[in-house]
Amino acid sequence: MANPSLLILPGDGIGPEVMAQVKRIIDWFGEKRDLAFDVSEDLVGGAAYDKHGVPLSDETMAKAQEVDAVLLGAVGGPAYDNLDFSVKPERGLLRLRKEMDLYANLRPAQCFDALADFSSLKKDIVSGLDIMIVRELTSGVYFGEPRGIHTEDNMRVGVNTQRYTEAEIERGARSAFELAMKRNKKLCSMEKANVMESGILWRDVVTEVSADYPEVELSHMYADNGAMQLVRAPKQFDVIYTDNLFGDILSDCAAMLTGSLGMLPSASLGQPMANGRPKAMYEPVHGSAPDITGQGKANPIACILSFAMALRYSFDEGAEADRLEAAIEKVLADGARTGDLMGPEGGTPLSTVEMGDVILAALDDSL
Ligand code: NAD
């Protein structure tokens, strides 16, 4: 059988630096675990603009549609800040999400014990935390029509529309239930059914879908209460499913429970392809970090954890994803830190490559 295929798009700034470590990890799985990937690499963002005059060429877009999963670094940077909106680096990212129809955005909030002190919350509240927020990514108030700013009675009026079809709610809900089945079989759906009709429909549709997943314990919560509960007692959750706007806010809030931006992976999933794998793109949450680009300071863990998500959600290699996450847990417990993870006690930070070295050594130890 052919190897599964991966398209790597390192992008700009620290993107290529952190992706270089992911490539070493991918090679390790090929050599040591008989899990080889057909890897191709291409340009996105400012790097693509420099070569092609667009932040994502049609050829790269076509490749992204063909592969089993896309792995992206980061895009953007000061050199591109003044470009026309239509060719800004971020447009490359948006084109990928839109044309691959990636409607379910998965943002885990996982707190490694060794980093629990980095959280703004008390250690016992976040220690061992492992939750997943599934945000509907392609509809809702960011896309609904009518929208715009117009004038009524000599007064400017700003309009956005929260609009969801039942099909849109349902397909995201199925992704969330499937995830819950692979985790602790608990799903909490969040909306504002008390004040929004779209919230009432959201609750109804999620409840209907739950009939197909009798093993999953479903609960509903108003999103404002959800925000409160996330900082009060986040460990009560396993998977959370919510809309585009609430998900934007709640996932950032949950992310900060765990400490550093350099630790946060994400996945965006779409419809299953002919081979049963979902359309998928995996990327760290952080940006291109121009302030540390080229200095060997970037933490590669968010990007490496994004590859672990690919192993789990695209390639059904949950045990190998566990192995990679355990290796990261181990090096952190042993005190390995890049600059962004240095506490007040100080010490010498590892470079990006050195962090890659110790993770590879921990992977070797796991055999
Ligand atoms: P950023 O995430 O790039 O950086 C914010 C801060 O976190 C910086 O101080 C940076 O040094 C630090 N940081 C981020 N990732 C790190 C890592 N892996 N290791 C260590 N430190 C890390 O956000 P920003 O500064 O607001 O944006 C910079 C550029 O990135 C902008 O052009 C922005 O548009 C773009 N951006 C891209 C994405 C993406 O590609 N998905 C996301 C956010 C921002």
Side-chain angles (χ1 to χ4, degrees):
M1 218 171 63
N3 294 332
S5 55
L6 271 176
L7 173 63
I8 292 188
L9 302 173
D12 307 319
I14 62 167
E17 299 173 37
V18 294
M19 196 61 87
Q21 303 314 307
V22 178
K23 288 194 261 181
R24 296 172 72 197
I25 306 259
I26 293 171
D27 289 345
W28 184 91
F29 277 95
E31 283 162 25
K32 305 279 174 73
R33 301 300 301 157
D34 202 18
L35 184 55
F37 293 90
D38 284 340
V39 179
S40 53
E41 190 167 328
D42 214 324
L43 302 173
V44 69
Y49 177 81
D50 289 340
K51 177 129 190 246
H52 304 298
V54 285
L56 188 78
S57 71
D58 291 343
E59 291 73 30
T60 314
M61 186 65 241
K63 275 191 216 166
Q65 295 284 21
E66 278 162 22
V67 291
D68 291 317
V70 176
L71 217 55
L72 188 134
V75 298
Y80 309 103
D81 281 351
N82 295 324
L83 288 181
D84 185 73
F85 185 69
S86 63
V87 288
K88 273 195 184 297
E90 290 75 8
R91 303 299 296 174
L93 200 56
L94 293 177
R95 182 175 179 197
L96 283 161
R97 287 184 186 149
K98 183 158 185 284
E99 294 193 19
M100 291 170 75
D101 198 14
L102 303 174
Y103 52 80
N105 183 225
L106 277 51
R107 291 265 301 261
Q110 192 176 2
C111 186
F112 291 93
D113 273 352
L115 300 182
D117 285 331
F118 274 82
S119 173
S120 50
L121 297 188
K122 292 194 198 83
K123 191 170 179 170
D124 60 315
I125 292 181
V126 292
S127 177
L129 177 76
D130 181 6
I131 62 180
M132 176 76 80
I133 299 193
V134 180
R135 163 188 172 195
E136 196 293 322
L137 198 60
T138 52
S139 184
V141 73
Y142 293 161
F143 296 93
E145 299 282 347
R147 63 184 298 160
I149 301 174
H150 64 273
T151 304
E152 276 175 34
D153 299 332
N154 286 326
M155 175 105 72
R156 282 177 302 159
V157 179
V159 177
N160 290 92
T161 302
Q162 167 83 333
R163 182 178 189 278
Y164 269 107
T165 66
E166 56 184 336
E168 289 165 342
I169 300 168
E170 181 187 333
R171 62 185 192 170
R174 289 199 182 278
S175 300
F177 276 106
E178 293 290 338
L179 267 174
M181 287 296 290
K182 289 187 180 170
R183 295 171 48 99
N184 294 325
K185 301 196 171 69
K186 270 174 65 180
L187 177 65
C188 182
S189 168
M190 294 188 186
E191 27 56 19
K192 292 277 289 174
N194 49 342
V195 287
M196 296 170 75
E197 285 77 4
S198 57
I200 295 172
L201 181 67
W202 185 279
R203 193 175 277 224
D204 285 351
V205 172
V206 173
T207 305
E208 286 157 22
V209 174
S210 74
D212 293 339
Y213 300 90
E215 285 176 61
V216 177
E217 180 194 321
L218 172 66
S219 60
H220 302 275
M221 197 178 270
Y222 298 138
D224 49 342
N225 184 28
M228 247 183 331
Q229 296 299 329
L230 267 177
V231 289
R232 193 187 70 83
K235 283 190 257 183
Q236 70 184 282
F237 298 113
D238 177 23
V239 179
I240 292 171
Y241 176 46
T242 190
D243 76 12
N244 204 342
L245 173 63
F246 297 142
D248 194 359
I249 297 164
L250 293 171
S251 61
D252 271 10
C253 172
M256 274 302 103
L257 301 175
T258 67
S260 167
L261 206 48
M263 296 292 300
L264 296 168
S266 80
S268 301
L269 307 181
Q271 296 286 4
M273 299 181 281
N275 60 14
R277 296 184 173 122
K279 287 255 174 194
M281 180 159 77
Y282 299 87
E283 55 183 311
V285 169
H286 62 71
S288 59
D291 53 333
I292 57 166
T293 295
Q295 300 171 31
K297 289 183 180 168
N299 182 352
I301 293 180
C303 204
I304 295 173
L305 286 173
S306 301
F307 174 61
M309 290 185 83
L311 287 174
R312 180 169 282 119
Y313 298 119
S314 278
F315 304 117
D316 236 351
E317 294 284 353
E320 299 303 328
D322 286 347
R323 178 190 298 280
L324 181 50
E325 287 167 357
I328 290 169
E329 175 112 53
K330 177 174 183 297
V331 302
L332 293 171
D334 290 348
R337 301 281 187 273
T338 40
D340 56 311
L341 303 178
M342 298 300 290
E345 68 277 9
T348 312
L350 296 185
S351 69
T352 311
V353 175
E354 287 166 340
M355 183 56 100
D357 291 343
V358 293
I359 293 171
L360 284 165
L363 280 172
D364 278 338
D365 288 347
S366 76
L367 294 174

